Amino acid sequence: MADWKESVENIVYSGRIKVPYKWYVGEVGSRFLTGLRDNKEFWGTKCPKCSKVYVPPVKNCGECFALTNEWVKVKDTGTLESFTVVDYSHAMQPVKAPIIYGLVKLDGASGSILHMIGNVKREDLKVGMKVKAVFADKREGTILDIKHFAPA
Amino acid sequence: MEKIAIVGVGQTTYERSKIETFDELVFEAATKALKDAGGEIGDIDNIITVSNDFWDGRTISSMAIQDAAGSWGKDISTVEGDGTFGALYGMMRILSGSFNTTLVVSHMKGSESIMNLITNAMFDPIYQRSLGIDATSSAALQARMYMEMSGAKEEDLALVSVKNHKNAKNNPFAQLPMDITVDDVMKSKRLADPLKVLDCSPISDGAAAVVLANEKGLKRFKKDPVWINGVGHTSDSYTLGYRDLAKPRALKDASQKAFKMAGIKDPLKELDVCELYDAYSYMELMWYEGIGLAKEGKGAELIKSGETGIDGSLPVNPSGGVISAHPVLVAGLARLIEATLQVRGEADKRQIKGAKTALAQGINGPCGQAHCVFVVGT
Ligand SMILES: [Zn+2]
């Protein structure tokens, strides 16, 4: 701690940064979110080189640096690859703690998708458990059109 | 390749809520590094500053501290990422042939904003940010994947906290020197299961700086050089879910490059000390495996063997590590400084006797997306 604090009052200036922003979701993202919103469907893109199916979709495979130009529909069910129960609350969280996050490998996809896990007691959570997407009643074309994944 | 040396190092103490400004912290670290090198600002050909706009609360944060970094009338450039990447870039700038010396300085005041909100902003705004994920909750997902892959228990992860906080008692720069037990870690508040308070690094403020030079530039300074014998840096996928979180292939690749350059075949035998980026307890075990100190999934066995303890054959984080002070962006540079002090024999109470070759690691991006590995020696 600086020694000047003994002789000078330590003044703190408090501010707040709040900047409106919009992000264009792009071609593959817009298709993906439209599929969730309108049809409760998960669509991914497939790499022509390594055959990985990315959900959410990517425009190019990071591994192969190739355009992923084939659309593949995957299931709304999958396997829980990891999870955490978050017991603290902060302004950026969409719901109050405790929140369960999970990485869900959808059936037919190669990687996993990050989302919340609901309708489950924390002691019943298990890596490898089957889960199924629960959709929000009111869907607006965002990732929160999926309410959460719940035990299948 | 031309040899590059670390000739000066400087760091502030690491604390929560330091009352010094960014500029004051940068000036302190920069002047300490120059003094340590036995030189002056006039001996510096170019400067790299390391900062992050979200944490500083201003855009182009790197330009705001240029006066404090001594950059008037000099060529400057900036890195937004861990300080090890700043050191790497500083080294490359000398290797480009344009400069003989570089000052690299990194600063962080984690206490001036809200860590969870800032780290939430590192995630993709469309697919992940709005879920409210942050550094700790994403690390928790990684910790569980690692535990599933390796069979490591929460008590095994806790051993890292116990070891490193105890080591921090020998480091006057560390923020959290503590005598704790596995039981203390297990009983600490659950933040994001399986991670508890004592599995997590603290919020920290501080700054660090290094002076780099080639053989020509070294003549300007009084200090004996510590040579960068090897360096490697590799990135993996940004998106959680697109990479195997339990297996740090980017670290594996980065350390293999560094070892090849340094002529190291068996790191467990040939390294004398390691400073790793243990932002969360489990990370140290994972990084053992990435570096090749332990086989895949066997990190817990290595720490249990005592080999990485302060009296072991390869002490890891004798400084107390990142879990004992985590000024983000600075923390990797602090590892490089610790490695430098060790091979100089100037690490005071935390000195590993006879250390000749040391490894320092920095990470960048969520859950250790990118890694930068340095091997230094005298
Ligand atoms: Zn591919």
Side-chain angles (χ1 to χ4, degrees), chain B residues 158-167 178 180-182 185:
Chain B
L159 291 170
V160 174
S161 299
V162 173
K163 169 176 76 73
N164 292 351
H165 283 299
K166 186 165 194 253
N167 288 351
M178 291 193 288
I180 52 169
T181 63
V182 167
V185 180

Side-chain angles (χ1 to χ4, degrees), chain A residues 1-2 4-5 10 17 23 25 29 32-33 54-58 63 81-88 90-94 101-103 111-112 114-116 127 143-144, chain B residues 15-20 57-58 114 116-117 120 125-134 136-137 140-142 144-145 148 189-194 240-242 245 249:
Chain A
M1 217 31 92
W4 60 261
K5 204 181 173 188
N10 176 33
I17 300 173
W23 287 276
V25 173
F32 172 72
L33 292 176
Y54 288 92
V55 185
V58 294
E63 186 101 39
E81 296 221 303
S82 187
F83 64 87
T84 180
V85 184
V86 174
D87 283 310
Y88 54 80
H90 276 289
M92 77 286 184
Q93 293 160 342
Y101 292 108
L103 286 165
S112 54
L114 176 74
H115 218 287
M116 294 177 283
V127 169
I143 197 69
L144 293 171
Chain B
E15 299 163 277
R16 188 161 183 164
S17 302
K18 273 174 111 65
I19 60 175
E20 291 88 349
R58 61 177 131 200
I114 297 170
N116 304 78
L117 295 182
N120 170 250
I126 314 297
Y127 302 117
Q128 299 195 330
R129 196 185 296 178
S130 59
L131 298 169
I133 195 102
D134 61 23
T136 298
S137 47
L141 291 167
Q142 184 174 41
R144 190 175 312 279
M145 283 189 100
E148 284 289 321
K189 189 175 183 293
R190 277 186 188 263
L191 292 178
D193 190 87
L240 301 179
Y242 292 168
L245 289 175
R249 65 172 181 176

Side-chain angles (χ1 to χ4, degrees), chain A residues 47 49-52 54 61 63-64:
Chain A
C47 174
K49 284 195 174 169
C50 69
S51 298
K52 274 203 192 92
Y54 288 92
C61 175
E63 186 101 39
C64 308

Side-chain angles (χ1 to χ4, degrees), chain A residues 102-124:
Chain A
L103 286 165
V104 176
K105 189 171 186 294
L106 292 171
D107 295 325
S110 301
S112 54
I113 184 169
L114 176 74
H115 218 287
M116 294 177 283
I117 311 296
N119 287 349
V120 64
K121 284 194 211 125
R122 68 169 77 195
E123 54 271 26
D124 294 337

